[in-house]
Every structure is written in C-alpha cells, then in structure tokens.
C-alpha cells in the first residue's frame, strides 16, 4: 500500500470514528484528493462528494463564491480556499470539507504567486482554517504534494475535535 493510500485510510478511519462526512472542493488537484480517498474500500461511509470547479465561473456556479471575491483576491488565495471549503459544505450533506486552489504549472504564475503556489481550506468543527504553501517540482509533483498536505492537515484537524 502506498503512503498516500495509508494516509487516506487514516483519514477515513478518523472521519468514521467521529461519524463525520467529508466533502471536497478541488481546483488545482482536479479530483486527486477525492480519488485518493475513494480508493479506500468503504469510503462511502465517510465521503459525501467532491466538486472540481476548475474555472472561476464554476467556482461561482457550483460553490456560490461571488465573482467579486475572486476578482478581489484571485482564484489562488486563502480567501477563495476558505470560500470553497464553506461552499462545499453548503452544497452537500457533509460535516467537514477540504479545498485546494493553486498553480500546478508549468504556466500560470503571476507576480507574488509562482508555480507551485497552493492555497488550502479546511472546514472542521465549525472553524475554517486556511494555509498557503509553495511546492517545488513539476506539475505532477505539485499536485501530489498538494493532495498529501490536504489529507495530512485534515487528519490533524479531525483528530483534534
């Protein structure tokens, strides 16, 4: 079993033990977080749904994020990551949520946001947590590191409640 699957299994066990359902809103990972989680047999007990709002208009339409918020902060921002996690909860039956939005590369960098910049949101226990990281490597490496970080932090937050 790969390290990613072991991590996903631990996340699932933590969610199941607390009787929590998870929803995911992923942009830069394109469903990678959802894929890792649903590799686990029995994930339907704790995984509700995943959204992949890759475009800005999809973020607005699927997760109710105001276009003005995206225009103000940019799609790759902690503000949008928070809104994505909150939107995933509002549009699902879940209790907790993860969101990812970033620049996996090789293009897309803008001033202040190099390739590898990823913003995360976690909504757990009624609190929204955000974080910005800059990962190195090619597109695949950035996306893989993003999935692992999203799951690791979710595990920590769920274990704390």
């Amino acid at each position: 079993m790969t390290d990613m699957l072991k991590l996903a299994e631990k996340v699932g066990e933590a969610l199941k033990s607390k009787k929590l359902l998870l929803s995911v809103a992923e942009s830069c990972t394109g469903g990678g977080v959802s894929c890792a989680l649903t590799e686990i047999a029995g994930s339907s007990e704790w995984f509700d749904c995943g959204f992949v709002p890759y475009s800005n208009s999809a973020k607005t339409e699927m997760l109710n994020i105001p276009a003005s918020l995206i225009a103000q902060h940019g799609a790759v921002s902690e503000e949008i990551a928070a809104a994505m996690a909150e939107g995933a909860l509002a549009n699902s039956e879940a209790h907790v949520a993860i969101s990812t939005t970033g620049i996996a590369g090789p293009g897309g960098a803008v001033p202040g946001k190099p390739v590898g910049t990823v913003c995360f949101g976690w909504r757990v226990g009624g609190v929204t947590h955000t974080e910005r990281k800059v990962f190195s490597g090619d597109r695949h490496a950035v996306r893989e590191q993003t999935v692992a970080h999203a799951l690791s932090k979710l595990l920590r937050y769920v274990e704390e409640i």
Side-chain angles (χ1 to χ4, degrees):
M1 182 181 283
T2 68
D3 288 345
M4 188 72 74
L5 286 180
K6 287 177 188 172
L7 177 57
E9 189 171 62
K10 286 180 185 176
V11 168
E13 289 168 0
L15 291 166
K16 185 177 176 181
S17 74
K18 304 226 180 211
K19 297 182 178 15
L20 297 172
L21 280 176
L22 173 68
S23 65
V24 178
E26 313 180 58
S27 187
C28 65
T29 47
V33 175
S34 298
C35 183
L37 292 168
T38 59
E39 282 288 323
I40 305 304
S43 57
S44 60
E45 294 181 56
W46 44 264
F47 185 84
D48 185 48
C49 65
F51 300 88
V52 185
Y54 214 70
S55 69
N56 290 346
S57 62
K59 289 173 181 66
T60 298
E61 293 167 21
M62 296 172 76
L63 301 175
N64 308 99
I65 299 172
S68 60
L69 190 66
I70 297 170
Q72 180 181 1
H73 297 285
V76 179
S77 64
E78 289 183 68
E79 292 82 0
I80 298 306
M84 288 173 66
E86 291 162 4
L89 280 188
N91 291 286
S92 71
E93 298 296 319
H95 309 103
V96 297
I98 299 173
S99 67
T100 63
T101 182
I103 306 165
V110 297
K113 296 177 185 177
V115 168
T117 301
V118 180
C119 294
F120 298 86
W122 298 270
R123 179 85 179 163
V124 181
V127 178
T128 302
H129 307 272
T130 63
E131 185 176 10
R132 176 184 159 152
K133 302 270 293 177
V134 179
F135 297 112
S136 60
D138 63 11
R139 181 176 181 82
H140 177 77
V142 168
R143 289 165 54 120
E144 190 170 83
Q145 291 169 81
T146 299
V147 171
H149 186 72
L151 293 176
S152 294
K153 276 297 211 37
L154 176 67
L155 181 59
R156 192 183 99 201
Y157 290 132
V158 168
E159 289 176 338
E160 289 175 356
I161 59 172

